[in-house]
Amino acid sequence: MARSKTWFKPKKYPHIGLPITVKDRRAVESYVHNTGKIAHHSFLPLIKRVQRSHRYKQENGKYKRSTKEREICYASHFDAQIYSFYAKRLERRYEKYIKEHDYSDCVIAYRSIQCEDRNSSKCNIDFAKDAFNAIRNMVVRGPQTVLVSDITKFFDSLNHSYLKRAWKEVSDYNSLPEDEYNIFKNVTQFSYVKIEDLFNLYKDQIICQTKTGIRKRRLTQVKYLKEKGAIAFCEKDALPELRNRGFIHPNKNKYGHFIGIPQGLPISSVLANIYMWEFDQKLNSYLRQIGGYYRRYCDDIIMIFPSSHLQIVERLLQELIRSTALEISPDKTKRFSIAASPKGEIMILKDGKPSKIEYLGFSFDGKNIRIKDKGMSKYYHKMDKTIRARMFYAIHINNDTGGKLFVRQILRRFTPIGSRKHRIFYRRAGSKAFIDSGKVSFGNYWTYVSKSAKICDSPAIIHQMKRNKAILRRRIKLATNKVNSERQKRFDVDVTTPTS
């Protein structure tokens, strides 16, 4: 089922040039519907930033942190609307194509798929549950094998010739029209500016939206852009200066070749799905023939099939992935043997030892579905980081909030207290009155836990949080004692009262 939301999505992230507003919709619509203008449209450079996520792994009783870096590129506001318009067109063609070729059920990422039991679209929780339920249903037929694989550097490795072929196949074109070719060319042969270079050049005159209007402000760090209401680094007429300074880079690898597509454009997700048209179609067709199960969530693949077909499936997987000019990550490919015990219990073995299958943030041990251990570890590390930051400011700040941890805010973030959807209010400066910010909080991690437990019908997920209250209470107590002790040393005052 294709997404029904509008393609026109004005946003206010800082870029080169001012944002588009809803008042500009008519002009934008007129422009994007003019194929002649799109065919000759000159796209601005993308802005590239590195998104870092931390992962924690326990070894010898200690947690080790590893950092994963992902390059995100985003287009100027006007260009983003063009990409969004053509993405919507491609989505409609792609939905029609996969339904006509009977493999719409196996592609689950970046699509709106209706739930059977509730009035909403499926999410990663539903997809994980479906895969684990498939294991439960298929194991009664005999021994099964589960292969969980990952495509190496998916977006960064897409072959442009193959992408063009896929685009024409899904669109039923012999050749791309001029307007769509210009879109294709600028997605595959794009240029970009690093956000650090752009910020350092214009940090003394960042264009910000304030309560009194638009004005230029000096910012000290990139992380304050959103907080200070930044809406642009500079005007569009600054392009010659960026080019003269050598800040505009072509998307070429070390051999001087264009490869991959940017991750972060409105059109990137549908192009990623289109690219895999032949892979999905052929692999799904074979697995269906042997009574198997295949699902692909972007670059994450899971297959379930009778163990007697293992060698054929592995060979077919490698042949098909090579035909797309991509690679399967050997380090992230895991093979599990599934069988039913004499008592009817599901046994999951990896290398002959009991194991559990992990997929889309969840794990399955043959009996219970749970949130992955890494997910829980990340949650508690976030809790610890938050309390440490509050503790640091409580110790060192020299205003009326000194010595305060603001425990209620911590509780709203890490307990069921803050798990309900609610409106966000803020206190007016110099007053006790609270003002509606117009924003809505959709909950916290407990919201996700509760939703997961309900969808998966797994009390074991709630049970994973049983130590949350005790851990949080202990960490708040230690932080409170530390704050009182340190402030007493620094200011030589009595701070034995409880931290509020």
Side-chain angles (χ1 to χ4, degrees):
M1 181 178 172
R3 297 176 183 175
S4 59
K5 294 181 180 179
T6 177
W7 58 268
F8 184 75
K9 302 172 184 176
K11 297 181 179 180
K12 287 190 176 182
Y13 55 80
H15 209 283
I16 301 169
L18 295 174
I20 284 173
T21 67
V22 291
K23 295 179 180 179
D24 301 313
R25 177 161 189 161
R26 183 173 293 180
V28 174
E29 285 182 341
S30 175
Y31 191 91
V32 298
H33 281 94
N34 189 323
T35 56
K37 288 184 177 180
I38 300 300
H40 299 94
H41 180 78
S42 180
F43 288 82
L44 294 179
L46 308 179
I47 291 181
K48 178 184 284 190
R49 65 179 176 85
V50 178
Q51 187 181 72
R52 295 178 176 85
S53 58
H54 304 298
R55 299 182 177 184
Y56 302 90
K57 188 175 182 181
Q58 192 172 16
E59 292 181 4
N60 302 322
K62 293 184 178 180
Y63 283 99
K64 289 189 175 181
R65 190 177 82 168
S66 61
T67 302
K68 180 179 179 180
E69 294 187 346
R70 176 179 295 167
E71 291 182 342
I72 304 295
C73 295
Y74 48 103
S76 70
H77 296 281
F78 193 83
D79 293 349
Q81 302 308 316
I82 297 174
Y83 286 130
S84 183
F85 176 76
Y86 278 85
K88 188 61 65 177
R89 276 188 172 182
L90 280 173
E91 280 178 10
R92 287 194 291 267
R93 295 176 199 165
Y94 180 68
E95 289 293 331
K96 180 182 177 183
Y97 183 89
I98 61 179
K99 286 174 183 175
E100 288 177 349
H101 292 78
D102 197 24
Y103 68 98
S104 63
D105 57 343
C106 70
V107 184
I108 55 179
Y110 312 128
R111 297 176 59 220
S112 181
I113 302 173
Q114 186 64 38
C115 292
E116 298 87 358
D117 55 354
R118 66 181 192 275
N119 187 28
S120 63
S121 297
K122 288 188 175 184
C123 62
N124 69 303
I125 306 170
D126 299 282
F127 298 137
K129 176 193 173 184
D130 291 345
F132 298 145
N133 282 344
I135 294 172
R136 287 170 170 151
N137 296 332
M138 293 173 64
V139 75
V140 297
R141 307 175 197 167
Q144 305 287 320
T145 294
V146 177
L147 274 181
V148 181
S149 301
D150 184 274
I151 301 173
T152 305
K153 295 182 179 179
F154 185 44
F155 284 88
D156 298 334
S157 304
L158 299 189
N159 180 277
H160 296 166
S161 297
Y162 192 86
L163 175 61
K164 188 178 180 181
R165 178 187 163 200
W167 193 319
K168 291 190 292 185
E169 169 69 23
V170 169
S171 303
D172 195 22
Y173 288 156
N174 291 322
S175 61
L176 293 181
E178 289 187 0
D179 58 326
E180 294 191 26
Y181 179 74
N182 195 31
I183 300 293
F184 168 79
K185 185 178 70 174
N186 281 278
V187 168
T188 54
Q189 300 178 24
F190 63 92
S191 59
Y192 65 89
V193 181
K194 294 179 182 178
I195 192 170
E196 295 83 6
D197 291 339
L198 204 54
F199 178 81
N200 289 332
L201 181 60
Y202 295 107
K203 63 182 179 181
D204 292 331
Q205 47 184 345
I206 300 291
I207 303 172
C208 298
Q209 179 73 59
T210 67
K211 293 180 180 180
T212 57
I214 296 176
R215 66 185 184 90
K216 293 181 179 180
R217 302 178 67 173
R218 183 180 186 278
L219 302 183
T220 56
Q221 295 185 53
V222 173
K223 66 180 181 180
Y224 296 132
L225 287 170
K226 185 176 181 180
E227 179 184 333
K228 300 300 182 182
I231 57 174
F233 290 100
C234 57
E235 297 284 358
K236 291 181 182 179
D237 57 11
L239 276 176
E241 182 180 12
L242 296 176
R243 194 170 283 111
N244 292 335
R245 289 176 176 268
F247 286 170
I248 300 178
H249 309 280
N251 179 47
K252 292 183 178 180
N253 60 15
K254 60 182 179 181
Y255 304 109
H257 300 143
F258 287 103
I259 191 168
I261 64 172
Q263 192 170 353
L265 299 186
I267 202 171
S268 298
S269 57
V270 66
L271 290 181
N273 275 341
I274 287 174
Y275 188 90
M276 301 297 286
W277 66 278
E278 195 171 28
F279 178 92
D280 291 331
Q281 199 173 152
K282 291 183 176 180
L283 194 54
N284 184 62
S285 176
Y286 179 75
L287 286 171
R288 272 188 180 176
Q289 290 177 23
I290 62 174
Y293 178 94
Y294 165 68
R295 294 292 184 271
R296 181 181 63 81
Y297 189 96
C298 190
D299 56 354
D300 291 320
I301 297 169
I302 187 168
M303 294 174 285
I304 312 165
F305 51 88
S307 299
S308 57
H309 295 267
L310 174 60
Q311 291 184 344
I312 299 174
V313 171
E314 286 188 323
R315 186 168 62 249
L316 180 62
L317 175 66
Q318 291 301 328
E319 288 175 359
L320 290 175
I321 203 67
R322 278 197 298 270
S323 72
T324 63
L326 298 173
E327 294 180 0
I328 294 291
S329 173
D331 298 335
K332 295 183 179 180
T333 299
K334 296 181 180 179
R335 180 198 301 168
F336 302 90
S337 299
I338 315 295
S341 70
K343 295 182 179 180
E345 297 176 344
I346 300 175
M347 298 184 298
I348 299 177
L349 302 177
K350 183 177 181 292
D351 300 326
K353 299 178 181 179
S355 185
K356 54 188 176 183
I357 299 170
E358 294 183 342
Y359 182 60
L360 299 183
F362 293 86
S363 66
F364 180 58
D365 60 7
K367 185 178 180 181
N368 294 307
I369 299 174
R370 294 183 174 88
I371 294 174
K372 278 174 58 173
D373 292 339
K374 285 183 180 179
M376 299 302 299
S377 175
K378 188 175 180 180
Y379 165 75
Y380 282 112
H381 275 279
K382 192 172 287 186
M383 176 193 291
D384 189 53
K385 183 179 178 181
T386 299
I387 295 175
R388 284 178 180 273
R390 296 293 178 92
M391 182 174 67
F392 177 86
Y393 285 109
I395 291 172
H396 294 93
I397 204 161
N398 294 325
N399 58 25
D400 294 342
T401 63
K404 295 181 180 181
L405 279 177
F406 296 97
V407 174
R408 289 182 183 176
Q409 293 180 9
I410 297 174
L411 295 178
R412 279 198 293 270
R413 188 169 179 184
F414 297 105
T415 70
I417 293 173
S419 64
R420 293 183 179 181
K421 180 180 175 180
H422 59 274
R423 302 192 70 83
I424 298 175
F425 292 81
Y426 65 92
R427 180 174 286 172
R428 190 192 297 275
S431 170
K432 293 184 178 181
F434 284 88
I435 308 299
D436 188 348
S437 67
K439 299 178 182 178
V440 176
S441 169
F442 290 93
N444 55 21
Y445 192 71
W446 275 89
T447 311
Y448 180 72
V449 169
S450 301
K451 182 178 179 180
S452 301
K454 183 178 180 180
I455 292 175
C456 296
D457 191 21
S458 178
I461 294 177
I462 297 294
H463 189 69
Q464 286 180 279
M465 303 292 285
K466 67 174 184 177
R467 296 176 59 239
N468 180 80
K469 187 176 180 180
I471 291 172
L472 183 59
R473 184 190 294 120
R474 183 171 67 250
R475 292 182 180 180
I476 289 175
K477 184 177 181 180
L478 289 173
T480 301
N481 292 339
K482 180 75 172 177
V483 169
N484 290 339
S485 173
E486 290 298 318
R487 286 187 68 84
Q488 196 164 19
K489 290 178 184 176
R490 290 188 68 207
F491 302 108
D492 193 26
V493 295
D494 182 18
V495 289
T496 57
T497 54
T499 308
S500 61

